[in-house]
Amino acid sequence: MRNSGLQNGLATLLVRHTSASLLIQENADPEVRQDLERFFERLIPEGDPLFRHILEGADDMPAHVRSALTSVNLSIPIVESALGLGTWQGIYLWEHRHHSHRRQVLVHLIGE
């Protein structure tokens, strides 16, 4: 943010995909991510006969549901040239597919 020249404003982020999410989450303990993964695996299991959309594999539809339950965009205040995140908060791109994919995140800054 410091290179943007903005003192105060808003940063808006958007991931341009339907099988990944953006999160603001704990940034110190990696077990938080692992616990979230296990929770979503239990909540939205692969191979559930409910899902018919499996065109790209068993993780296809569960990935869409996971992104629908989380978020593909974030809005974060810019305060004194820095993102207004808490001490233990970080921004994460959460991939919901097993294989890596190339993802695009758009960032829009507005302010003074």
Side-chain angles (χ1 to χ4, degrees):
M1 294 295 98
R2 299 196 195 297
N3 293 337
S4 71
L6 294 178
Q7 282 288 101
N8 299 293
L10 187 68
T12 303
L13 292 80
L14 171 73
V15 60
R16 298 177 68 182
H17 304 276
T18 58
S19 297
S21 302
L22 292 172
L23 297 176
I24 296 176
Q25 199 47 256
E26 164 83 39
N27 69 6
D29 186 350
E31 288 184 353
V32 171
R33 181 187 59 80
Q34 295 163 1
D35 286 346
L36 285 169
E37 290 281 354
R38 282 192 298 275
F39 174 79
F40 270 78
E41 286 170 11
R42 181 183 293 173
L43 185 65
I44 310 149
E46 291 179 20
D48 189 321
L50 173 71
F51 301 134
R52 292 184 174 185
H53 176 71
I54 56 170
L55 188 63
E56 297 175 28
D59 65 345
D60 196 0
M61 193 61 211
H64 292 300
V65 174
R66 290 170 184 168
S67 69
L69 291 176
T70 51
S71 185
V72 296
N73 66 323
L74 297 173
S75 296
I76 305 162
I78 300 169
V79 181
E80 297 177 4
S81 299
L83 291 175
L85 296 172
T87 302
W88 304 110
Q89 290 180 321
I91 299 170
Y92 294 91
L93 174 65
W94 189 7
E95 177 60 61
H96 299 303
R97 301 296 301 269
H98 292 301
H99 301 290
S100 62
H101 292 272
R102 189 178 187 118
R103 304 299 189 186
Q104 295 177 335
V105 176
L106 300 180
V107 178
H108 177 76
L109 305 174
I110 188 166
E112 54 187 359

